[in-house]
Each structure stands twice: as C-alpha cells, then as structure tokens.
C-alpha cells in the first residue's frame, strides 16, 4: 500500500518541483517503488526538471479521461529503475482534474507503489486542492521570507480542513517543514528569518534545510534531480531530508555560515 | 554584526521586524479573522430594529471576538434620546 506525500507551499517559486524531483529520486535510491505526479495542469514542468520531457506521450489527464492506461502514461526514470513520473497535461484547463478521476488514479497507484509524491501547483485552487486531498503526509516547502511563511500557514490551514483525512475524521495529515533557499550568512546578519524563527511561526516539525545554491540551477538546466549532484551541499541536504523522512536521526547541516576572516569580523561583511 | 556596527549603533535588523509582523498577521488569520457575513448581519439588524425604534446606521455595531475557547457575538445598539 502506497503512502501519499504532497509537496506543497501555497506560494510559487519556492522549490516545490525541485523538491518533488529530488525527494522522489531519494526514495527510489533507497529502494522504494516511487511515483511522482505533476498536478500543475497547464504548466507542466516536472518532466523538464526530471529530464524526461521528450518522452511524454500520454499524461495524467489522458488517464483521467480514459484516453490512455496508467501504464502507458507512467514514464520510467532515466537513472532509477524504481522511479516513475506521471506528467501533467499542458493543454487542458485545470477543471479536467476531476475529484473522481484523481481518486481513481490514486487508487490504481496505491497497489503498485510504496510512495506516491504529488507535486502541487502554487495557489489554493483546484490543482492544489486535488494534490493535497489524498495526502498522508505533507512537505510544506517554505522560503525564509514573509510571503512564503504566510502562504505556508494558509496551506497548513487547508490541509487541516480540506484533506481527505480531515473530511473523514481520520488522523490528520503529518506535516513537515522544509526550509529552502536558506542563506546562513544572511540569517547571521539579521537580514533573513532564521530556521528557529520559521519553526516558531509555523509550529510544525522541521524535516530539513536546503541551502541557497547555484547547484539547483545547474541541475534543472540539465534535467537532473538535485539529489544526483554529487558532492554538492544541496544533494547532501536532500539525502538527509529523505533519511529523516524515513525516521533516521540526522543532524542539520549547512545551516551555519563558514567562519569569516578576522578582517571581515572587524569591518562587517 | 561587525565590531564597528557595535560602536556605530545599528538599526533594528529587518529579520526581527519580519518575525514580529508575521506573528501578528498569522495569529489574526488563524483565528479566522472577521466572518464575512458581519456587514450583512449589521444591515439586517438595522432594518429590523429600525422598524420599531428610529436608529441610524452608526448607532449599531456588531462585533465578533474570540475569548478563550469560545467566540462572542457582541451587538451594541445606541438608542436615540427619548426627549
């Protein structure tokens, strides 16, 4: 039986798709059969970030509307045998993402996979609501910045009210905070919210911190999920995220600035 | 903060301003804020009370506030002078 994990945030551009690609890859590296689904109907991007854009034939909406079988639409990852991508449609409007259709696809994935990762679109409309509805766990991707924190708080409210678990009165969706684009030096200088600040504001357990890094752009340029960028801080941070998600103890890394020089300490950096 | 900042006296850091602003707005938004039916309720109450007593719009106020575990709907009607 699959566990369903939504990667969500409310705000756009905070790193949901980057995280979905890296996190799903990380689960597959650990040997779990994993499917990652793009819920951003009309603005397909997960395929690009995962480097499978030229292999898309059928999509999520084709499956919902009965034009293709799920097996035909699932794309096997280039690098990981146990990872599959379900791309979304670029052409249809988001109303095509019907509640019944999504439920049917989820049901079918349930038997085939260990984890289903749902990459949510930004906003709080149909696509985002469908993406979080079936979730057992939620990774709330947040930047240390006022509008992102506020939108994450909104999404937490929606998870608590509109998820299937909430509607059926089951145990609530397990929420995890993932802080991305974190710049320790700016935090130290008092110009960026610290991870303690964001934890205190959002009041959910911290799953990990991904440092701000040029590596992310290099990875997406090439269509390689960031967790494969060997030797980079970002890859190591995502590996830790996956480990913690699976219940392992991992101390936080990359959350302190490198020691500045004496002159910098004297004159400010 | 650098050594020189210490002597020059630096302004309040923007991250702590951000945190304080967020604390306030999140607390407000989590309490559901003001229900959006309040203005309509105020209009209708004004119409009903107005049938019996001549009152002006600014003499009626309707407020909703949270006190501990429950919410209180408060209705204030200021009666006009009788003489």
């Amino acid at each position: 039986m699959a566990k369903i994990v939504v990667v969500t945030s409310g705000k756009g551009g905070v790193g949901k798709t980057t995280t979905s690609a890296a996190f799903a890859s990380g689960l597959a590296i650990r040997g779990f059969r994993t499917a990652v689904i793009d819920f951003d109907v009309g603005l397909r991007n997960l395929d690009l970030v995962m480097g499978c854009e030229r292999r898309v034939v059928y999509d999520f909406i084709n499956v919902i509307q009965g034009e293709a079988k799920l097996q035909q639409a699932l794309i096997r990852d280039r690098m990981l045998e146990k990872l599959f991508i379900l791309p979304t449609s670029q052409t249809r409007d988001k109303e095509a993402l019907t509640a019944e259709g999504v439920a049917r696809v989820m049901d079918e994935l349930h038997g085939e996979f260990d984890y289903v990762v749902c990459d949510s679109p930004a906003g709080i409309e149909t696509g985002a609501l469908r993406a979080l509805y079936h979730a057992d766990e939620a990774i709330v991707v947040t930047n240390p910045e006022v509008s992102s924190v506020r939108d994450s708080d909104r999404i937490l409210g929606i998870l608590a009210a509109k998820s299937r678990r909430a509607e059926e009165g089951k145990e609530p969706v397990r929420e995890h905070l993932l802080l991305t684009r974190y710049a320790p030096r700016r935090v130290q200088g008092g110009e960026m919210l610290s991870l303690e600040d964001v934890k205190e504001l959002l009041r959910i357990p911290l799953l990990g911190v991904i440092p701000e890094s040029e590596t992310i752009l290099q990875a997406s340029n090439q269509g390689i999920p960031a967790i494969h960028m060997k030797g980079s801080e970002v890859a190591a941070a995502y590996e830790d995220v996956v480990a913690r998600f699976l219940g392992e103890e991992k101390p936080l890394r990359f959350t302190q600035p490198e020691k500045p020089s004496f002159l910098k300490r004297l004159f400010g950096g | 903060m650098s050594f020189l900042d210490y002597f020059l006296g630096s302004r309040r850091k923007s991250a702590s301003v951000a945190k304080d602003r967020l604390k306030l707005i999140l607390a407000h938004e989590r309490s559901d804020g003001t229900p959006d039916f309040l203005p309509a309720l105020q209009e209708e109450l004004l119409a009903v009370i107005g049938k019996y007593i001549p009152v002006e719009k600014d003499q009626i106020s309707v407020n909703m506030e949270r006190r501990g575990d429950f919410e209180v709907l408060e209705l204030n009607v200021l009666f006009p002078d009788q003489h």
Side-chain angles (χ1 to χ4, degrees):
Chain A
M1 291 294 260
K3 193 168 256 183
I4 300 173
V5 186
V6 63
V7 178
T8 186
S9 70
K11 190 174 184 310
V14 297
K16 285 182 296 298
T17 302
T18 301
T19 296
S20 298
F23 180 70
S25 298
L27 290 170
I29 290 170
R30 293 297 195 101
F32 294 105
R33 288 168 303 161
T34 306
V36 55
I37 311 179
D38 190 347
F39 273 80
D40 202 349
V41 177
L43 294 170
R44 174 160 93 202
N45 276 320
L46 181 67
D47 57 337
L48 264 184
V49 172
M50 308 247 347
C52 65
E53 70 277 9
R54 298 206 308 186
R55 290 193 288 144
V56 176
V57 182
Y58 295 108
D59 60 48
F60 193 11
I61 304 295
N62 290 137
V63 178
I64 284 176
Q65 301 195 331
E67 297 155 352
K69 291 207 176 94
L70 181 59
Q71 274 68 22
Q72 294 176 291
L74 284 171
I75 303 170
R76 189 189 286 268
D77 184 60
R78 282 186 304 171
M79 285 174 270
L80 301 165
E81 197 188 326
K82 296 202 166 171
L83 178 60
F84 289 82
I85 300 121
L86 183 56
T88 193
S89 163
Q90 240 177 339
T91 52
R92 320 277 181 102
D93 69 292
K94 54 184 184 288
E95 299 311 315
L97 209 57
T98 61
E100 303 71 37
V102 173
R104 225 173 41 239
V105 173
M106 286 296 176
D107 224 39
E108 213 175 318
L109 291 167
H110 228 265
E112 307 273 327
F113 289 94
D114 299 313
Y115 287 98
V116 177
V117 177
C118 302
D119 181 21
S120 174
I124 50 173
E125 287 169 50
T126 312
L129 296 180
R130 298 278 189 266
L132 67 79
Y133 185 74
H134 295 272
D136 299 305
E137 313 219 11
I139 297 179
V140 180
V141 183
T142 307
N143 289 168
E145 177 270 325
V146 286
S147 52
S148 176
V149 172
R150 184 196 212 174
D151 290 359
S152 290
D153 197 65
R154 280 298 302 281
I155 277 291
L156 288 169
I158 291 170
L159 277 164
K162 299 203 170 164
S163 62
R164 180 177 181 176
R165 284 179 169 269
E167 279 183 5
E168 293 177 356
K170 290 188 179 153
E171 209 177 303
V173 177
R174 221 172 119 213
E175 300 154 338
H176 308 269
L177 171 63
L178 181 67
L179 210 53
T180 54
R181 307 198 67 166
Y182 196 68
R185 172 143 296 143
R186 304 189 72 184
V187 172
Q188 194 185 45
E191 46 177 308
M192 180 182 270
L193 290 165
S194 70
L195 64 101
E196 288 81 13
D197 291 339
V198 181
K199 263 169 71 179
E200 189 189 324
L201 288 161
L202 292 178
R203 303 189 289 206
I204 59 170
L206 182 69
L207 181 64
V209 177
I210 310 296
E212 167 86 67
S213 167
E214 294 165 9
T215 309
I216 299 287
L217 183 59
Q218 287 165 13
S220 72
N221 281 345
Q222 304 169 80
I224 299 171
I227 202 167
H228 294 301
M229 302 298 280
K230 293 277 173 264
S232 70
E233 290 190 348
V234 165
Y238 273 119
E239 279 167 12
D240 287 356
V241 164
V242 173
R244 288 190 204 103
F245 184 84
L246 296 172
E248 297 166 25
E249 291 278 341
K250 288 275 174 188
L252 284 173
R253 293 193 270 178
F254 320 119
T255 55
Q256 297 298 325
E258 289 155 33
K259 288 262 184 296
S261 69
F262 173 74
L263 282 180
K264 241 184 181 165
R265 291 224 311 268
L266 189 61
F267 296 106
Chain B
M1 210 194 326
S2 80
F3 183 66
L4 285 183
D5 282 340
Y6 182 78
F7 281 105
L8 298 172
S10 58
R11 279 165 301 150
R12 193 165 165 232
K13 299 293 184 186
S14 66
S16 80
V17 178
K19 188 182 178 186
D20 291 346
R21 290 174 61 217
L22 278 166
K23 262 190 190 162
L24 275 175
I25 193 69
L26 295 189
H28 178 74
E29 287 172 351
R30 278 178 194 146
S31 68
D32 292 330
T34 312
D36 44 13
F37 60 78
L38 273 194
L41 179 64
Q42 180 160 353
E43 282 300 317
E44 286 179 41
L45 285 171
L46 180 69
V48 172
I49 295 168
K51 275 202 229 169
Y52 305 95
I53 309 157
V55 284
E56 295 295 325
K57 191 175 178 184
D58 57 2
Q59 289 167 312
I60 292 189
S61 73
V62 184
N63 280 308
M64 188 88 121
E65 68 179 82
R66 186 178 288 271
R67 282 183 202 158
D69 281 342
F70 43 91
E71 281 174 289
V72 179
L73 178 70
E74 189 182 66
L75 169 66
N76 270 306
V77 185
L78 204 63
F79 290 115
D81 275 342
Q82 293 293 314
H83 41 260

